[in-house]
Amino acid sequence: MTMSTVICIGMAGSGKTTFMQRLNSHLRTKKTPPYVINLDPAVLKIPYGANIDIRDSIKYKKVMENYQLGPNGAIVTSLNLFSTKIDQVIKLVEKKKEKYNHCIIDTPGQIECFVWSASGAIITESFASTFPTVIAYIVDTPRNTSPTTFMSNMLYACSILYKTKLPMIVVFNKNDVTNADFAKDWMTDFESFQRAVRDDQELNGDLGMGSGYMSSLINSMSLMLEEFYSQLDMVSVSSFTGEGFDDFLTAVDNKVDEYEEYYKAERERILKAKEEKEKLRKDKSINGLMKDLGLNDKKDGNESDASAEVISDIEAGDGDGLVDRDEDEGVEREYTFPGEERTQGEITEKDTPGLQKRYQEALESVAKTASSETAENIARHLK
């Protein structure tokens, strides 16, 4: 069976980490333990054993101090640093794909730090390009009994679906506190949602909807989202009692089949289009340079690509990669950034100037290589 990846995303307080704990426990009781990755650098303690933990690589508080950032800026920067080695993380997970059926990923509570950041897109795309990947959008059910709040959450889920272009499961969590049947009705029956909007307006007046404009907007949005709802699988779970997790795993299997049938082909088409667009851009740049230098009619047919290879901040070698760590709480843990003088691979004050220096050296090297190859190209055309 192919390993599938589940990326857990949700608003702060929706219960993502508790959901991860229960999902991990549920899969272990079925004798199919998952491969677990934690991508929240700011969490103090996680209630599950992680195979790869971003905190082994990045010291969140040090990032705040070194770069003089606030909490959210430090989370984004930590994810940026981690994403520079995502190829090594993917290689690690690939090595384990025969052993595990599921890879589950916990993301930061500040949802925008992951979903809308460049590093979040890099991490998501890297997994989606290698494994069948499903987004689990965790919703705090008790907080969504208001039609206004519910609609806001669904619009956010819609934006994430079209941003990631991956199969999505909407998971209504905390079902033990508030039953999520009302949400199922609202998503499948437009008239039921309209009644809830009217009832909320009558009960709370302007305090509930803000104004008549809000009521009209929400009704219009609910009509627009009918097509969006049809693309979703919706399950209700309780991370506290474990209710609904079999339904969730069934939904994951369905979405994996959907990924293989529809999303994979679409992603390959998009990647191919991007490659062709980039090739055209490079050809146009070279042709423009040749035209500016008056060398257009002196080509000998032996053109070479003048672009330089991307250079990592650390040169590849035997010691460049992720290394195994001693077992912790029964879970095999693995480092992400090795370093001779680094404690648990963390980014420290001592590392920061060196990191900046390596970036500068890499940039200069790229410029020098590109310049050299362009000069060779021009010389070849002059012959």
Side-chain angles (χ1 to χ4, degrees), residues 290-312:
M290 296 299 108
K291 185 177 180 181
D292 290 344
L293 295 173
L295 303 175
N296 249 10
D297 52 354
K298 296 185 180 181
K299 295 181 181 179
D300 61 1
N302 295 322
E303 296 183 14
S304 63
D305 189 355
S307 63
E309 293 183 358
V310 176
I311 297 176
S312 170

PDB file of all heavy atoms in Angstrom, residues 290-312:
ATOM      1  N   MET A 290      21.570  38.062 -27.079  1.00  0.00           N
ATOM      2  CA  MET A 290      22.251  37.925 -28.373  1.00  0.00           C
ATOM      3  C   MET A 290      21.878  39.067 -29.326  1.00  0.00           C
ATOM      4  O   MET A 290      22.717  39.607 -30.049  1.00  0.00           O
ATOM      5  CB  MET A 290      21.863  36.584 -29.028  1.00  0.00           C
ATOM      6  CG  MET A 290      22.308  35.348 -28.271  1.00  0.00           C
ATOM      7  SD  MET A 290      24.090  35.225 -28.086  1.00  0.00           S
ATOM      8  CE  MET A 290      24.264  35.581 -26.349  1.00  0.00           C
ATOM      9  N   LYS A 291      20.582  39.445 -29.274  1.00  0.00           N
ATOM     10  CA  LYS A 291      20.125  40.522 -30.149  1.00  0.00           C
ATOM     11  C   LYS A 291      20.772  41.858 -29.765  1.00  0.00           C
ATOM     12  O   LYS A 291      21.193  42.638 -30.624  1.00  0.00           O
ATOM     13  CB  LYS A 291      18.605  40.630 -30.067  1.00  0.00           C
ATOM     14  CG  LYS A 291      18.004  41.650 -31.037  1.00  0.00           C
ATOM     15  CD  LYS A 291      16.488  41.636 -30.941  1.00  0.00           C
ATOM     16  CE  LYS A 291      15.894  42.664 -31.906  1.00  0.00           C
ATOM     17  NZ  LYS A 291      14.411  42.696 -31.810  1.00  0.00           N
ATOM     18  N   ASP A 292      20.858  42.105 -28.449  1.00  0.00           N
ATOM     19  CA  ASP A 292      21.485  43.345 -27.977  1.00  0.00           C
ATOM     20  C   ASP A 292      22.941  43.436 -28.393  1.00  0.00           C
ATOM     21  O   ASP A 292      23.464  44.521 -28.667  1.00  0.00           O
ATOM     22  CB  ASP A 292      21.381  43.432 -26.445  1.00  0.00           C
ATOM     23  CG  ASP A 292      19.955  43.682 -25.994  1.00  0.00           C
ATOM     24  OD1 ASP A 292      19.139  44.081 -26.847  1.00  0.00           O
ATOM     25  OD2 ASP A 292      19.660  43.460 -24.798  1.00  0.00           O
ATOM     26  N   LEU A 293      23.610  42.277 -28.452  1.00  0.00           N
ATOM     27  CA  LEU A 293      25.034  42.269 -28.811  1.00  0.00           C
ATOM     28  C   LEU A 293      25.243  42.075 -30.311  1.00  0.00           C
ATOM     29  O   LEU A 293      26.378  41.958 -30.778  1.00  0.00           O
ATOM     30  CB  LEU A 293      25.753  41.143 -28.048  1.00  0.00           C
ATOM     31  CG  LEU A 293      25.791  41.323 -26.516  1.00  0.00           C
ATOM     32  CD1 LEU A 293      26.371  40.078 -25.869  1.00  0.00           C
ATOM     33  CD2 LEU A 293      26.608  42.538 -26.127  1.00  0.00           C
ATOM     34  N   GLY A 294      24.154  41.978 -31.064  1.00  0.00           N
ATOM     35  CA  GLY A 294      24.265  41.822 -32.506  1.00  0.00           C
ATOM     36  C   GLY A 294      24.799  40.476 -32.926  1.00  0.00           C
ATOM     37  O   GLY A 294      25.483  40.348 -33.943  1.00  0.00           O
ATOM     38  N   LEU A 295      24.510  39.428 -32.159  1.00  0.00           N
ATOM     39  CA  LEU A 295      25.075  38.107 -32.449  1.00  0.00           C
ATOM     40  C   LEU A 295      24.015  37.115 -32.908  1.00  0.00           C
ATOM     41  O   LEU A 295      24.261  35.916 -32.967  1.00  0.00           O
ATOM     42  CB  LEU A 295      25.759  37.548 -31.185  1.00  0.00           C
ATOM     43  CG  LEU A 295      26.855  38.429 -30.582  1.00  0.00           C
ATOM     44  CD1 LEU A 295      27.340  37.817 -29.278  1.00  0.00           C
ATOM     45  CD2 LEU A 295      28.016  38.565 -31.551  1.00  0.00           C
ATOM     46  N   ASN A 296      22.817  37.603 -33.193  1.00  0.00           N
ATOM     47  CA  ASN A 296      21.709  36.703 -33.510  1.00  0.00           C
ATOM     48  C   ASN A 296      21.965  35.799 -34.705  1.00  0.00           C
ATOM     49  O   ASN A 296      21.550  34.660 -34.742  1.00  0.00           O
ATOM     50  CB  ASN A 296      20.448  37.523 -33.780  1.00  0.00           C
ATOM     51  CG  ASN A 296      19.420  37.331 -32.679  1.00  0.00           C
ATOM     52  OD1 ASN A 296      19.752  36.742 -31.659  1.00  0.00           O
ATOM     53  ND2 ASN A 296      18.222  37.830 -32.883  1.00  0.00           N
ATOM     54  N   ASP A 297      22.692  36.314 -35.711  1.00  0.00           N
ATOM     55  CA  ASP A 297      22.888  35.528 -36.930  1.00  0.00           C
ATOM     56  C   ASP A 297      24.209  34.777 -36.948  1.00  0.00           C
ATOM     57  O   ASP A 297      24.665  34.332 -37.966  1.00  0.00           O
ATOM     58  CB  ASP A 297      22.793  36.451 -38.152  1.00  0.00           C
ATOM     59  CG  ASP A 297      23.719  37.655 -38.025  1.00  0.00           C
ATOM     60  OD1 ASP A 297      24.322  37.804 -36.937  1.00  0.00           O
ATOM     61  OD2 ASP A 297      23.823  38.416 -38.987  1.00  0.00           O
ATOM     62  N   LYS A 298      24.855  34.674 -35.758  1.00  0.00           N
ATOM     63  CA  LYS A 298      26.150  33.994 -35.731  1.00  0.00           C
ATOM     64  C   LYS A 298      26.096  32.700 -34.928  1.00  0.00           C
ATOM     65  O   LYS A 298      27.100  32.224 -34.438  1.00  0.00           O
ATOM     66  CB  LYS A 298      27.214  34.918 -35.133  1.00  0.00           C
ATOM     67  CG  LYS A 298      27.445  36.174 -35.989  1.00  0.00           C
ATOM     68  CD  LYS A 298      28.577  36.982 -35.418  1.00  0.00           C
ATOM     69  CE  LYS A 298      28.842  38.245 -36.238  1.00  0.00           C
ATOM     70  NZ  LYS A 298      29.954  39.022 -35.710  1.00  0.00           N
ATOM     71  N   LYS A 299      24.890  32.173 -34.720  1.00  0.00           N
ATOM     72  CA  LYS A 299      24.753  30.960 -33.912  1.00  0.00           C
ATOM     73  C   LYS A 299      25.323  29.761 -34.653  1.00  0.00           C
ATOM     74  O   LYS A 299      25.219  29.664 -35.862  1.00  0.00           O
ATOM     75  CB  LYS A 299      23.287  30.698 -33.598  1.00  0.00           C
ATOM     76  CG  LYS A 299      22.678  31.787 -32.704  1.00  0.00           C
ATOM     77  CD  LYS A 299      21.226  31.452 -32.406  1.00  0.00           C
ATOM     78  CE  LYS A 299      20.585  32.514 -31.538  1.00  0.00           C
ATOM     79  NZ  LYS A 299      19.193  32.258 -31.252  1.00  0.00           N
ATOM     80  N   ASP A 300      25.930  28.872 -33.905  1.00  0.00           N
ATOM     81  CA  ASP A 300      26.478  27.671 -34.535  1.00  0.00           C
ATOM     82  C   ASP A 300      25.675  26.421 -34.177  1.00  0.00           C
ATOM     83  O   ASP A 300      26.084  25.316 -34.451  1.00  0.00           O
ATOM     84  CB  ASP A 300      27.946  27.477 -34.137  1.00  0.00           C
ATOM     85  CG  ASP A 300      28.108  27.309 -32.630  1.00  0.00           C
ATOM     86  OD1 ASP A 300      27.092  27.316 -31.906  1.00  0.00           O
ATOM     87  OD2 ASP A 300      29.250  27.157 -32.181  1.00  0.00           O
ATOM     88  N   GLY A 301      24.529  26.629 -33.470  1.00  0.00           N
ATOM     89  CA  GLY A 301      23.670  25.489 -33.144  1.00  0.00           C
ATOM     90  C   GLY A 301      24.053  24.793 -31.866  1.00  0.00           C
ATOM     91  O   GLY A 301      23.370  23.879 -31.436  1.00  0.00           O
ATOM     92  N   ASN A 302      25.149  25.171 -31.234  1.00  0.00           N
ATOM     93  CA  ASN A 302      25.568  24.509 -29.993  1.00  0.00           C
ATOM     94  C   ASN A 302      25.233  25.392 -28.798  1.00  0.00           C
ATOM     95  O   ASN A 302      26.106  25.839 -28.066  1.00  0.00           O
ATOM     96  CB  ASN A 302      27.077  24.217 -30.014  1.00  0.00           C
ATOM     97  CG  ASN A 302      27.437  23.224 -31.082  1.00  0.00           C
ATOM     98  OD1 ASN A 302      26.682  22.282 -31.321  1.00  0.00           O
ATOM     99  ND2 ASN A 302      28.567  23.436 -31.732  1.00  0.00           N
ATOM    100  N   GLU A 303      23.947  25.701 -28.642  1.00  0.00           N
ATOM    101  CA  GLU A 303      23.560  26.576 -27.540  1.00  0.00           C
ATOM    102  C   GLU A 303      23.588  25.805 -26.232  1.00  0.00           C
ATOM    103  O   GLU A 303      23.298  24.628 -26.170  1.00  0.00           O
ATOM    104  CB  GLU A 303      22.149  27.114 -27.789  1.00  0.00           C
ATOM    105  CG  GLU A 303      22.058  27.993 -29.023  1.00  0.00           C
ATOM    106  CD  GLU A 303      20.650  28.546 -29.177  1.00  0.00           C
ATOM    107  OE1 GLU A 303      19.874  28.455 -28.228  1.00  0.00           O
ATOM    108  OE2 GLU A 303      20.363  29.072 -30.254  1.00  0.00           O
ATOM    109  N   SER A 304      23.913  26.520 -25.198  1.00  0.00           N
ATOM    110  CA  SER A 304      23.887  25.903 -23.872  1.00  0.00           C
ATOM    111  C   SER A 304      23.079  26.790 -22.949  1.00  0.00           C
ATOM    112  O   SER A 304      22.956  27.977 -23.165  1.00  0.00           O
ATOM    113  CB  SER A 304      25.310  25.751 -23.319  1.00  0.00           C
ATOM    114  OG  SER A 304      25.917  27.010 -23.143  1.00  0.00           O
ATOM    115  N   ASP A 305      22.505  26.195 -21.943  1.00  0.00           N
ATOM    116  CA  ASP A 305      21.695  26.939 -20.978  1.00  0.00           C
ATOM    117  C   ASP A 305      22.619  27.788 -20.112  1.00  0.00           C
ATOM    118  O   ASP A 305      23.524  27.272 -19.470  1.00  0.00           O
ATOM    119  CB  ASP A 305      20.915  25.934 -20.111  1.00  0.00           C
ATOM    120  CG  ASP A 305      19.904  26.642 -19.246  1.00  0.00           C
ATOM    121  OD1 ASP A 305      19.866  27.888 -19.253  1.00  0.00           O
ATOM    122  OD2 ASP A 305      19.153  25.923 -18.566  1.00  0.00           O
ATOM    123  N   ALA A 306      22.345  29.100 -20.085  1.00  0.00           N
ATOM    124  CA  ALA A 306      23.221  30.001 -19.336  1.00  0.00           C
ATOM    125  C   ALA A 306      22.805  30.129 -17.880  1.00  0.00           C
ATOM    126  O   ALA A 306      23.399  30.887 -17.136  1.00  0.00           O
ATOM    127  CB  ALA A 306      23.219  31.388 -19.997  1.00  0.00           C
ATOM    128  N   SER A 307      21.765  29.408 -17.493  1.00  0.00           N
ATOM    129  CA  SER A 307      21.339  29.528 -16.099  1.00  0.00           C
ATOM    130  C   SER A 307      22.238  28.694 -15.200  1.00  0.00           C
ATOM    131  O   SER A 307      22.781  27.681 -15.597  1.00  0.00           O
ATOM    132  CB  SER A 307      19.892  29.048 -15.964  1.00  0.00           C
ATOM    133  OG  SER A 307      19.802  27.689 -16.294  1.00  0.00           O
ATOM    134  N   ALA A 308      22.385  29.170 -13.979  1.00  0.00           N
ATOM    135  CA  ALA A 308      23.238  28.458 -13.021  1.00  0.00           C
ATOM    136  C   ALA A 308      22.382  27.566 -12.138  1.00  0.00           C
ATOM    137  O   ALA A 308      21.210  27.810 -11.936  1.00  0.00           O
ATOM    138  CB  ALA A 308      23.983  29.470 -12.158  1.00  0.00           C
ATOM    139  N   GLU A 309      22.985  26.506 -11.645  1.00  0.00           N
ATOM    140  CA  GLU A 309      22.267  25.620 -10.756  1.00  0.00           C
ATOM    141  C   GLU A 309      22.034  26.318  -9.414  1.00  0.00           C
ATOM    142  O   GLU A 309      22.797  27.165  -9.000  1.00  0.00           O
ATOM    143  CB  GLU A 309      23.069  24.336 -10.522  1.00  0.00           C
ATOM    144  CG  GLU A 309      23.192  23.480 -11.777  1.00  0.00           C
ATOM    145  CD  GLU A 309      23.930  22.195 -11.472  1.00  0.00           C
ATOM    146  OE1 GLU A 309      24.357  22.031 -10.313  1.00  0.00           O
ATOM    147  OE2 GLU A 309      24.076  21.379 -12.372  1.00  0.00           O
ATOM    148  N   VAL A 310      20.930  25.914  -8.778  1.00  0.00           N
ATOM    149  CA  VAL A 310      20.664  26.461  -7.449  1.00  0.00           C
ATOM    150  C   VAL A 310      21.678  25.895  -6.473  1.00  0.00           C
ATOM    151  O   VAL A 310      21.967  24.704  -6.475  1.00  0.00           O
ATOM    152  CB  VAL A 310      19.239  26.080  -7.002  1.00  0.00           C
ATOM    153  CG1 VAL A 310      18.987  26.554  -5.589  1.00  0.00           C
ATOM    154  CG2 VAL A 310      18.222  26.691  -7.955  1.00  0.00           C
ATOM    155  N   ILE A 311      22.214  26.745  -5.627  1.00  0.00           N
ATOM    156  CA  ILE A 311      23.248  26.319  -4.693  1.00  0.00           C
ATOM    157  C   ILE A 311      22.688  26.323  -3.285  1.00  0.00           C
ATOM    158  O   ILE A 311      22.091  27.297  -2.856  1.00  0.00           O
ATOM    159  CB  ILE A 311      24.472  27.253  -4.766  1.00  0.00           C
ATOM    160  CG1 ILE A 311      25.080  27.170  -6.169  1.00  0.00           C
ATOM    161  CG2 ILE A 311      25.501  26.906  -3.712  1.00  0.00           C
ATOM    162  CD1 ILE A 311      26.229  28.100  -6.387  1.00  0.00           C
ATOM    163  N   SER A 312      22.869  25.239  -2.562  1.00  0.00           N
ATOM    164  CA  SER A 312      22.427  25.155  -1.178  1.00  0.00           C
ATOM    165  C   SER A 312      23.358  25.973  -0.294  1.00  0.00           C
ATOM    166  O   SER A 312      24.496  26.267  -0.654  1.00  0.00           O
ATOM    167  CB  SER A 312      22.443  23.688  -0.729  1.00  0.00           C
ATOM    168  OG  SER A 312      22.231  23.603   0.659  1.00  0.00           O
TER     169      SER A 312
END
